[in-house]
């Protein structure tokens, strides 16, 4: 799935959910920390884009 977020102050983020992982692949923020975070897939992991006010988190049961 590809989700494009049009948000705070005209900001944009592209979230990709594929093969059980989530990642932000494009963002209008200046520092791109959210992109450099890479793919997340474990419960409790986060991707945060503070300038664009976006938080992506993995929730659910812990897996063994």
């Amino acid at each position: 799935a590809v989700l494009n977020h049009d948000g705070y102050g005209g900001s944009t983020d592209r979230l990709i959910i594929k093969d059980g992982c989530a990642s932000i692949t494009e963002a209008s923020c200046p520092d791109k920390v959210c992109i450099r975070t890479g793919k997340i897939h474990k419960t409790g992991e986060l991707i945060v884009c503070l300038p664009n006010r976006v938080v992506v988190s993995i929730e659910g049961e812990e897996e063994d």
Side-chain angles (χ1 to χ4, degrees):
V2 177
L3 303 167
N4 291 309
H5 174 264
D6 295 322
Y8 179 76
S11 63
T12 58
D13 290 276
R14 175 171 280 184
L15 172 67
I16 304 288
I17 301 171
K18 184 178 178 183
D19 299 328
C21 295
S23 62
I24 292 181
T25 60
E26 295 178 32
S28 63
C29 59
D31 57 14
K32 310 292 190 239
V33 170
C34 54
I35 295 172
R36 290 195 312 268
T37 299
K39 296 178 181 177
I40 60 172
H41 68 278
K42 295 179 183 176
T43 299
E45 288 184 312
L46 297 171
I47 299 173
V48 178
C49 184
L50 288 178
N52 293 354
R53 297 186 181 181
V54 173
V55 176
V56 178
S57 65
I58 304 295
E59 297 181 4
E61 300 289 323
E62 292 286 335
E63 295 184 18
D64 294 333

